[in-house]
């Protein structure tokens, strides 16, 4: 069975529209955070691009539709990347400027070709723009908070496939041209439409799971229930929700916030080498020791399954380095007294609002990353980072 271009393009448009509508409905119902809103924008851009391409197929004289459709398609990939950046708590200012510049280039290059440009007006900037943002998105899914979600692997694969597809498409387009048998067989609009349908369905599934995780971690904006373990350590959802409130209040009051991340060298290796009993004992003692030696009014909670974080407000006279050093030394001392077969390296990392702003997720992420590096290297500088 052979499908014509219009049929396949209409099918791709239908899949994108249905996916976008379902995703947007979920976004509204969940009162989504920034990552979810950016991913929803990606599906809206994809829907708009599909409509533009259909308009071009039905009205070939409207060459502007190709330029706008190309820009919207690249924008869809770019919004997926921006959503991952937001998920990791990183600033969006520079990435947004990059997106704007690339989209402008894609649209202008297609418009410059004029009515004679045909289906492939501005094709090379269009192909490379998609490849660029697909690569950036794939890399972003392998770092920070999003990398710790197993479902992010699916998004990495999707974006990697898109990147390889568009780079290969560019190479064949330049070397053989769009009329060559190789391009028509492997890279023409029919194949592109089928690939788009597959990747959109997969992307909607993966980003929906990631968004649900992110929404759960943020907690409901109306009701938050705090949960702590036996040592008084806040579970991750409770810690993130409470720290967000503290950061917002501190910003209004003109106060600083410090987050200290604490990690110990890989507990899994301890479990394999010396038995799960030693690993569990170390994990329990770590939580208890961090809670005991943290500042009295500090928030103590989980950064993730194996890392802890301590957060407190700071003033001009707060000696953050002294607090971090004292916490590290006290925790190491308690772990050394356990008598286990091995005492793992304790890593401490520090992040403050003076460097990262009053973004609670960015503070926790930066402190945790610094703690992870310290746990691996054993080098404790206690400097702010």
């Amino acid at each position: 069975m052979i499908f014509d271009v219009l049929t396949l393009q209409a099918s791709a448009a239908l899949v994108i529209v249905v996916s976008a509508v379902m995703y947007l409905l979920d976004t509204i119902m969940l009162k989504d955070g920034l990552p979810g809103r950016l991913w929803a924008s990606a599906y809206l851009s994809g829907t708009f691009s599909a409509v533009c391409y259909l308009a071009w197929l039905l009205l070939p004289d409207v060459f502007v539709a190709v330029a706008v459709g190309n820009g919207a398609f690249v924008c869809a990939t770019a919004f997926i990347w921006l959503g991952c950046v937001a998920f990791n708590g990183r600033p969006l200012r520079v990435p947004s400027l990059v997106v704007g510049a690339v989209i402008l280039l894609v649209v202008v290059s297609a418009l410059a070709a004029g009515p004679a440009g045909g289906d492939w007006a501005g094709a090379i900037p269009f192909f490379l723009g998609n490849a660029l943002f697909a690569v950036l998105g794939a890399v972003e899914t392998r770092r920070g908070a999003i990398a710790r979600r197993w479902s992010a692997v699916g998004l990495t694969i999707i974006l990697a496939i898109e990147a390889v597809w568009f780079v290969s498409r560019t190479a064949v387009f330049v070397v053989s041209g769009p009329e060559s048998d190789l391009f028509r067989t492997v890279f023409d609009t029919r194949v592109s439409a089928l690939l788009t349908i597959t990747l959109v369905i997969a992307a909607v599934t993966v980003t929906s799971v990631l968004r649900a995780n992110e929404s759960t971690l943020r907690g409901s904006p109306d009701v938050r229930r705090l949960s702590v373990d036996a040592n008084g350590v806040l579970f991750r959802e409770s810690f993130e929700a409470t720290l967000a409130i503290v950061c917002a209040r501190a910003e209004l009051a003109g106060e600083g916030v410090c987050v200290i991340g604490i990690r110990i060298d890989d507990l899994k290796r301890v479990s394999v080498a010396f038995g799960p009993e030693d690993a569990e004992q170390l994990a329990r003692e770590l939580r208890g020791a961090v809670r005991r030696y943290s500042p009295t009014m500090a928030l103590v909670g989980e950064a993730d399954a194996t890392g802890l974080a301590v957060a407190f407000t700071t003033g001009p006279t707060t000696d953050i380095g002294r607090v971090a050093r004292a916490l590290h030394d006290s925790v190491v001392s308690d772990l050394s007294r356990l008598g286990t077969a091995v005492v793992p390296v304790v890593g401490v990392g520090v992040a403050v609002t003076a460097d990262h702003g009053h973004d609670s997720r960015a503070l926790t992420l930066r402190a945790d990353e610094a703690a992870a590096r310290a746990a691996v290297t054993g080098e404790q500088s206690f400097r702010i980072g």
Side-chain angles (χ1 to χ4, degrees), residues 32 41 76 86-87 99 119 185 233 264 282 335 354:
D32 236 341
S41 299
F87 197 105
V99 170
D119 294 349
T185 303
V233 175
I264 57 178
L282 286 169
L335 293 180

Side-chain angles (χ1 to χ4, degrees), residues 7-376:
T7 301
L8 286 171
Q9 195 66 53
S11 301
L14 179 62
V15 169
I16 293 172
V17 169
V18 171
S19 300
V21 170
M22 296 302 295
Y23 196 91
L24 287 172
L25 287 175
D26 274 350
T27 300
I28 294 170
M29 293 176 66
L30 288 173
K31 298 179 180 179
D32 236 341
L34 183 57
R37 294 198 298 272
L38 288 169
W39 288 329
S41 299
Y43 299 122
L44 276 176
S45 298
T47 300
F48 185 57
S49 71
V51 171
C52 290
Y53 291 145
L54 282 176
W56 164 250
L57 289 172
L58 295 172
L59 303 169
D61 293 334
V62 187
F63 72 95
V64 176
V66 174
V68 177
N70 286 355
F73 197 107
V74 175
C75 200
T77 308
F79 273 125
I80 294 291
W81 170 50
L82 292 178
C84 297
V85 173
F87 197 105
N88 284 334
R90 297 176 57 222
L92 288 171
R93 181 180 177 83
V94 174
S96 298
L97 292 175
V98 172
V99 170
V102 173
I103 299 302
L104 182 62
L105 175 63
V106 169
V107 173
V108 169
S109 64
L111 288 175
D119 294 349
W120 305 111
I124 293 178
F126 169 60
F127 295 163
L128 293 180
N130 274 295
L132 170 65
F133 292 126
V135 169
L136 291 173
V139 171
E140 192 66 33
T141 60
R142 294 296 87 215
R143 61 189 295 186
I146 198 171
R148 292 195 284 269
R149 307 293 191 276
W150 65 267
S151 50
V153 175
L155 194 55
T156 306
I157 294 172
I158 292 166
L159 292 170
I161 291 173
E162 183 178 0
V164 171
W165 159 263
F166 276 107
V167 169
S168 303
R169 201 180 192 192
T170 303
V172 175
F173 185 91
V174 172
V175 174
S176 303
E179 301 303 324
S180 66
D181 291 338
L182 176 59
F183 193 89
R184 286 178 173 275
T185 303
V186 183
F187 297 106
D188 77 345
T189 304
R190 294 178 181 83
V191 181
S192 178
L194 291 172
L195 183 66
T196 298
I197 291 171
T198 304
L199 294 183
V200 166
I201 293 173
V204 168
T205 303
V206 174
T207 52
S208 294
V209 173
L210 288 169
R211 183 191 57 189
N213 273 335
E214 196 269 344
S215 297
T216 300
L217 293 178
R218 282 189 296 109
S220 165
D222 303 316
V223 179
R224 290 184 174 94
R225 294 181 177 86
L226 303 184
S227 302
V228 298
D229 69 5
N231 292 306
V233 175
L234 289 161
F235 291 118
R236 181 174 183 175
E237 295 86 348
S238 298
F239 176 76
E240 292 195 354
T242 308
L243 180 57
I245 296 171
V246 169
C247 285
R249 293 183 62 192
E251 186 173 17
L252 289 174
E255 298 176 346
V257 176
C258 171
V259 176
I260 300 176
I262 302 100
R263 281 188 172 274
I264 57 178
D265 198 15
D266 197 351
L267 275 177
K268 291 181 180 179
R269 287 186 293 177
V270 174
S271 178
V272 171
F274 302 99
E277 294 81 8
D278 276 8
E280 290 176 6
Q281 188 177 8
L282 286 169
R284 285 195 303 269
E285 183 57 30
L286 174 70
R287 297 170 78 90
V290 170
R291 188 68 189 88
R292 279 194 298 275
Y293 300 116
S294 295
T296 305
M297 293 300 292
L299 299 176
V300 181
E302 298 175 340
D304 61 14
T306 57
L308 298 175
V310 177
F312 52 92
T313 55
T314 62
T317 61
T318 305
D319 189 344
I320 295 172
R322 184 188 64 80
V323 175
R325 183 181 295 277
L327 179 60
H328 172 268
D329 293 345
S330 299
V331 169
V332 170
S333 177
D334 278 17
L335 293 180
S336 300
R337 288 197 293 266
L338 285 178
T340 53
V342 63
V343 178
V345 176
V346 177
V348 168
V350 179
V352 295
T353 50
D355 295 327
H356 306 292
H358 287 77
D359 184 332
S360 58
R361 294 184 63 190
L363 288 169
T364 304
L365 180 62
R366 298 296 174 261
D368 187 57
E369 288 174 346
R373 288 194 299 271
V376 172

